[in-house]
């Protein structure tokens, strides 16, 4: 721990004082001219190239959700610099909102696939994989569904059709699906009231969701995904018991992932590696899917150097935990620039949670990820 702290600080300082590598070809053919301007960086400078082979470094793709209430246009389609960096730096993409029910299935008889299609196409062109997010959740469901007064039989058919349609549409093009998101509360109790599916259909619907997703895309790895499971605790215990039970019944569950929305208000969750490892031992893949590290911003909104170092240390520790677990091969940050981060909108007084500032300049956390990946690649 002390060693890690020192290493992060030393490497980050070194990286900040070294001249940036000369630019080379962009990985995004859609982004126009090939790195003509000084914002581009060489391939050795890219997180995706620094990573060990078979290890995916991902980001959320901004759009939908809270972005719709901000005073900027859709980031993914409108912000060229943003797109270009996304293509260059990352080897995995997660639609931040564009595959959620309220976005992709806005009316009972209408799907809106335009943005999800665009993201999956972009990923193909840039040789990136995609994490689908998400199919069974208590949040961001459309009003027609939540307020529809459907019978249990109708709801079951609605869920089955949705999963078959959405998963089927992208079959073969999605590496991992977050089939079930946030089904347990902090005490490890199923969200029986909040989650419409569990409330109306009972907990057995969870197994069905995995079965239907597997039928629609036998190649996709099917995950449970949640926050607050970055330690061995009541919530991760509940997942452990559930997964064991489902595996015994031969339900096609392939993975367990930790969102890892962290804050410097709390210590780094020291049990992260152990928590991932016990699912690894069950034979599951594991992943970090939504890492960000928020902090209380001082007056004026600029984080101090000490805050940025602490943040870098958390990013590095989360990455190291995943790298240390055999089948943890997917590490995704929930956006790479503060410009589009959900944090200031959802956590009052907190911000600066990502690895780049609004203008895409890099924070110590970026360099901490880069050096940790490079180090892992050597071994
Ligand atoms: C967040 C998005 O970042 C916001 O744009 C949206 O308004 C709300 O949802 N856990 C999840 C993610 O699984 O889908 C959430 O994303 C963050 C918490």
């Amino acid at each position: 721990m002390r060693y890690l702290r020192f290493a992060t600080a030393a490497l980050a300082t070194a990286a900040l004082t070294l001249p940036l590598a000369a630019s080379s070809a962009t990985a995004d053919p859609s982004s126009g001219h090939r790195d003509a301007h000084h914002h581009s960086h060489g391939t050795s400078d890219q997180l995706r190239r620094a990573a060990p082979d078979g290890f995916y470094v991902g980001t959320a793709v901004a759009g939908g959700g809270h972005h719709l209430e901000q005073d900027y246009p859709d980031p993914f389609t409108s912000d060229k610099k943003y797109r270009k960096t996304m293509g260059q730096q990352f080897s995995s993409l997660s639609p931040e909102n564009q595959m959620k029910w309220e976005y992709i299935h806005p009316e009972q008889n209408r799907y809106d696939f335009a943005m999800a299609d665009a993201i999956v196409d972009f990923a193909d062109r840039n040789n990136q994989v995609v994490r689908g997010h998400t199919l069974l959740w208590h949040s961001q469901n459309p009003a027609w569904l939540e307020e529809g007064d459907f019978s249990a039989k109708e709801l079951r058919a609605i869920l089955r059709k949705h999963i078959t349609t959405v998963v089927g549409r992208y079959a073969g093009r999605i590496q991992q699906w977050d089939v079930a998101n946030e089904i347990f509360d902090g005490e490890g109790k199923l969200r029986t009231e909040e989650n419409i599916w569990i409330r109306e259909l009972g907990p057995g619907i969870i197994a069905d969701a995995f079965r239907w997703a597997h039928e629609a895309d036998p190649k996709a790895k099917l995950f449970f995904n949640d926050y607050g499971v970055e330690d061995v605790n009541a919530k991760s215990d509940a997942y452990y018991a559930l997964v064991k039970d489902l595996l015994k019944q031969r339900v096609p569950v392939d993975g367990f992932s930790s969102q890892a929305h962290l804050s410097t208000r709390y210590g780094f969750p020291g049990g992260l590696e152990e928590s991932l490892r016990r699912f690894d031992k069950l034979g599951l893949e594991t992943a970090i899917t939504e890492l960000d590290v928020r902090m209380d911003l001082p007056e004026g909104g600029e984080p101090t150097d000490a805050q940025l170092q602490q943040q870098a240390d958390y990013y590095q520790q989360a990455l190291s935990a995943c790298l240390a677990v055999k089948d943890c091969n997917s590490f995704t940050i929930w956006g790479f620039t503060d410009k589009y981060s959900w944090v200031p909108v959802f956590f009052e007084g907190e911000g600066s949670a990502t690895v780049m500032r609004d203008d895409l300049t890099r924070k110590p956390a970026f360099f901490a990820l880069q050096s940790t990946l490079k180090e892992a690649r050597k071994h």
Side-chain angles (χ1 to χ4, degrees):
M1 167 78 172
R2 248 193 311 159
Y3 164 75
L4 282 179
R5 238 176 236 290
F6 170 74
T8 310
L11 287 163
T13 312
L16 283 167
T17 53
L18 287 169
L20 292 165
S23 57
S24 71
T26 168
D28 175 19
S30 69
S31 70
H33 37 249
R34 295 158 70 91
D35 74 342
H37 45 77
H38 62 276
H39 288 297
S40 314
H41 305 282
T43 49
S44 67
D45 197 49
Q46 300 169 356
L47 295 177
R48 61 186 296 178
R49 310 267 175 241
D53 293 337
F55 190 84
Y56 294 87
V57 184
T59 180
V61 178
H66 82 276
H67 300 284
L68 299 174
E69 269 93 64
Q70 310 303 306
D71 59 2
Y72 49 71
D74 177 67
F76 174 70
T77 44
S78 308
D79 187 337
K80 280 201 183 144
K81 259 178 75 177
Y82 172 78
R83 278 171 76 88
K84 184 168 179 178
T85 303
M86 193 160 67
Q88 286 178 327
Q89 292 291 337
F90 301 96
S91 49
S92 177
L93 300 182
S94 301
E96 185 176 356
N97 295 290
Q98 301 91 330
M99 287 186 181
K100 290 173 181 173
W101 271 78
E102 69 174 7
Y103 197 101
I104 207 166
H105 200 162
E107 291 167 45
Q108 190 174 357
N109 296 311
R110 184 169 70 87
Y111 289 87
D112 182 354
F113 292 120
M115 205 58 83
D117 284 359
I119 293 169
V120 174
D121 288 346
F122 179 96
D124 273 353
R125 287 199 306 278
N126 288 283
N127 197 19
Q128 295 163 314
V129 298
V130 179
R131 295 196 82 260
H133 178 77
T134 178
L135 301 169
L136 184 153
W137 194 21
H138 64 274
S139 186
Q140 291 185 266
N141 287 326
W144 70 260
L145 172 67
E146 290 282 347
E147 289 152 30
D149 258 332
F150 297 107
S151 69
K153 196 169 169 223
E154 287 168 330
L155 273 178
R156 193 178 154 77
I158 287 171
L159 181 63
R160 182 173 194 162
K161 189 84 193 293
H162 177 93
I163 291 178
T164 304
T165 304
V166 176
V167 177
R169 183 177 183 90
Y170 303 109
R173 305 176 80 193
I174 300 276
Q175 185 194 42
Q176 304 183 344
W177 262 110
D178 290 330
V179 173
N181 198 34
E182 304 177 351
I183 56 168
F184 289 110
D185 66 18
E187 282 149 29
K189 302 232 159 35
L190 275 179
R191 294 187 194 256
T192 317
E193 290 307 309
E194 279 166 289
N195 187 307
I196 181 174
W197 310 110
I198 302 174
R199 183 182 67 231
E200 304 298 329
L201 303 172
I205 194 63
I206 297 163
D208 286 330
F210 279 86
R211 291 188 185 106
W212 295 332
H214 183 66
E215 267 171 42
D217 184 356
K219 285 208 179 122
K221 300 290 183 182
L222 307 182
F223 275 68
F224 282 105
N225 185 55
D226 212 326
Y227 64 89
V229 290
E230 292 77 31
D231 252 315
V232 175
N233 57 26
K235 203 192 245 192
S236 60
D237 282 352
Y239 276 104
Y240 191 75
L242 175 63
V243 166
K244 253 180 128 165
D245 184 50
L246 292 177
L247 290 178
K248 209 158 54 185
Q249 298 175 53
R250 302 192 168 280
V251 178
V253 179
D254 303 297
F256 172 78
S257 50
S258 248
Q259 294 178 7
H261 292 291
L262 307 180
S263 166
T264 59
R265 273 189 195 177
Y266 318 106
F268 181 83
L272 178 56
E273 185 180 321
E274 190 187 343
S275 174
L276 295 173
R277 199 181 295 285
R278 67 172 170 160
F279 288 93
D280 191 80
K281 284 192 180 143
L282 280 184
L284 292 199
E285 296 195 25
T286 56
I288 303 290
T289 52
E290 305 183 13
L291 178 63
D292 51 18
V293 183
R294 60 189 188 271
M295 57 184 79
D296 290 286
L297 292 175
E299 224 166 297
E302 279 300 309
T304 65
D305 288 351
Q307 284 183 303
L308 292 176
Q309 286 308 328
Q310 191 185 0
Q311 176 184 57
D313 178 55
Y314 281 33
Y315 267 94
Q316 182 179 49
Q317 289 199 64
L319 174 57
S320 295
C322 181
L323 285 166
V325 175
K326 188 169 164 293
D327 285 328
C328 189
N329 295 319
S330 170
F331 172 86
T332 292
I333 58 180
W334 207 236
F336 58 87
T337 168
D338 291 338
K339 189 174 180 186
Y340 299 129
S341 170
W342 72 308
V343 166
V345 180
F346 282 82
F347 302 89
E348 216 194 316
E350 293 182 88
S352 192
T354 77
V355 301
M356 294 184 195
R357 300 179 185 83
D358 286 21
D359 62 2
L360 304 191
T361 57
R362 298 155 176 202
K363 301 183 200 173
F366 177 90
F367 298 110
L369 294 183
Q370 189 180 47
S371 59
T372 304
L373 289 167
K374 282 187 177 167
E375 200 51 44
R377 199 181 155 78
K378 280 194 222 154
H379 300 298

